[in-house]
Amino acid sequence: MAREVTVVHLDGSGREKGVPASHAGELQLTGMNPVWVPRRHPSERSIVTYWWSATTGQLVGCRSLERLSVAMLLDFHPAVRDFAAWTARLEWSERGRKRCFVPDFFVRTAEGATVVVACPPSSGPSERWEHQRRVLQQACRETGWQLGSRLPQPAALANLRWVARYRHPRNSDRAVERALLAAFTQPLPLLDGVQAAGVPRLLALPRLYHLLWRRRLTMDWSIPLGPDSPIRVGGTARSMRPFTVGKQE
């Protein structure tokens, strides 16, 4: 177990600054520039890409497709107000050598808490990963950060990937949305509700998916989305808990 953990970030001048973990709890890491950016290596089966966040209007870095899914989940979660990638690095000394670890995302919640998300390797947790996770847990205890991340079941993830295509505000139309919200006051199959709204299907569907993304409409995310999927206004999709915020030991 690491004895002293330092949180390294970039200051306003773009220079690295190290802060003991016990004094890093007040850092607003979601508003900082990345302290590290992954570089593609020919021997690695990974892809570096960026997620456009509807929450922040900014691009968020993802160093694998698994991280891209997590970024989507963070963007969808109602408790998330801001999130960014790679804005801090953990450093510690062990056996005479300096070790470091960069979590994938730093998140700010509606309550003002900082949540750290670190995804295991796509090949599965390794001994090295488990050790890094223990160091991260120690840093969270010292800073007051929280840990949290979980992927939902495959059907829910596939549904969210589809709906996320329509997350951009350009898919919003107030007049069409009012008609859809009025039609789905009571649960209706998707196409029946669109017909009841009196809006052409090609015009209505992007707005319907946009409302699902914004959680103005809801559905059973555990069932593949289709023409007969029951849709209704508001509510909480209990089968869709893609992101858990909470302290972990």
Side-chain angles (χ1 to χ4, degrees):
M1 177 62 66
R3 295 185 179 276
E4 294 184 5
V5 180
T6 301
V7 178
V8 180
H9 63 92
L10 298 183
D11 63 17
S13 301
R15 293 174 295 188
E16 289 192 358
K17 181 177 181 180
V19 180
S22 57
H23 294 82
E26 299 302 318
L27 292 175
Q28 298 296 323
L29 294 172
T30 57
M32 296 181 180
N33 291 323
V35 73
W36 169 85
V37 176
R39 298 186 182 278
R40 178 74 168 86
H41 192 278
S43 65
E44 296 180 350
R45 297 180 60 187
S46 62
I47 180 171
V48 178
T49 187
Y50 290 84
W51 174 265
W52 181 82
S53 169
T55 302
T56 66
Q58 303 293 323
L59 292 174
V60 181
C62 307
R63 55 176 167 169
S64 70
L65 294 178
E66 289 81 4
R67 272 85 171 182
L68 192 69
S69 294
V70 174
M72 175 183 66
L73 297 169
L74 293 172
D75 203 15
F76 179 72
H77 199 284
V80 172
R81 290 294 177 268
D82 195 5
F83 67 105
W86 316 318
T87 52
R89 179 176 70 245
L90 305 183
E91 292 186 351
W92 68 97
S93 294
E94 188 174 339
R95 298 178 181 176
R97 298 180 60 183
K98 186 175 75 171
R99 309 287 183 177
C100 63
F101 175 62
V102 180
D104 293 293
F105 304 104
F106 287 90
V107 182
R108 180 171 56 83
T109 71
E111 292 75 24
T114 296
V115 180
V116 188
V117 179
C119 304
S122 56
S123 58
S126 61
E127 183 177 347
R128 178 185 178 188
W129 156 255
E130 292 297 344
H131 183 68
Q132 291 172 334
R133 187 174 184 275
R134 288 193 293 271
V135 173
L136 179 57
Q137 288 175 323
Q138 176 186 332
C140 287
R141 288 192 294 269
E142 295 181 10
T143 59
W145 297 340
Q146 298 176 349
L147 283 173
S149 177
R150 182 169 69 88
L151 290 177
Q153 63 269 37
L157 192 57
N159 288 336
L160 188 57
R161 285 194 181 112
W162 179 266
V163 170
R165 299 178 184 182
Y166 302 89
R167 67 188 183 277
H168 197 281
R170 64 172 172 264
N171 292 298
S172 177
D173 183 305
R174 291 186 179 180
V176 175
E177 289 175 0
R178 282 197 296 269
L180 289 170
L181 291 171
F184 287 106
T185 301
Q186 299 296 325
L188 281 176
L190 187 151
L191 287 186
D192 288 355
V194 169
Q195 185 175 3
V199 179
R201 185 184 303 180
L202 291 181
L203 183 62
L205 287 178
R207 278 71 189 179
L208 184 148
Y209 299 142
H210 184 67
L211 288 172
L212 283 169
W213 173 263
R214 290 167 53 198
R215 298 174 299 277
R216 298 285 304 280
L217 294 175
T218 191
M219 56 175 283
D220 185 345
W221 292 88
S222 65
I223 300 174
L225 180 61
D228 298 323
S229 297
I231 306 292
R232 63 188 177 91
V233 171
T236 301
R238 296 183 179 180
S239 61
M240 182 67 174
R241 296 192 180 96
F243 178 68
T244 303
V245 175
K247 294 182 179 179
Q248 298 181 5
E249 296 301 329

